Amino acid sequence: DWDTDAYLKAEAEGYEGVALRDLLREWLAGWQPGARGWLIQGPTGTGKTHLAHATMQHLVLTHAVSAVWWSTRELGREIEAALKTKQPLHLILQPLIDADVLVFDELREVKSWWWDQVVDALESRLDAYPAKTTIVTTNLKAGADGSLAAVLGDRLASRLRAACTPLTIRGADHRATQLQRPYNLQRIA
């Protein structure tokens, strides 16, 4: 029952003026294994994660595909934990490569030694044949040249362009508007 009205307007390359709901419904209706995914960009609180999760859930329930959900933060925690237990990193990264559908939430620049290995895993996935659907969300803004290459590097940005259709969501942070709403708080005895 989450109100999604705030997330229904979006701009996507080649789809200007089309409501986000219609765009995603059309994509889901025609989805086939290996379909081109989405690179969903926009400010915090505009529904990127919500839309990516709903899309992944629909594909799992409708097409019985394998799906993996990672965020940069969670993956970093898993890698750090694996290092402490001397677990090989490929055991964590291989599911990211192998899944029919990957949602990589909150893609951002990371200045850590393990980030190169994550980028290598993403590149392996994005270069895979047969192709696999990848959905990426990010708050990153394009650099001065209009691309993410300045932030993510040429290698990853190039592969994301090849595997994902860019989708930019604009709007206000829904959490900020929720904080302005009065809540019915009851005292718990």
Side-chain angles (χ1 to χ4, degrees), residues 8-46:
L8 298 181
K9 292 185 178 178
E11 295 174 14
E13 188 173 302
Y15 296 97
E16 284 78 14
V18 176
L20 179 58
R21 174 178 36 207
D22 298 337
L23 178 63
L24 290 178
R25 280 185 180 160
E26 181 180 327
W27 181 80
L28 288 168
W31 185 86
Q32 296 290 322
R36 186 175 170 91
W38 295 99
L39 173 60
I40 307 171
Q41 296 172 267
T44 299
T46 54

Side-chain angles (χ1 to χ4, degrees), residues 142-154:
D145 65 352
S147 76
L148 290 175
V151 181
L152 296 175
D154 290 330

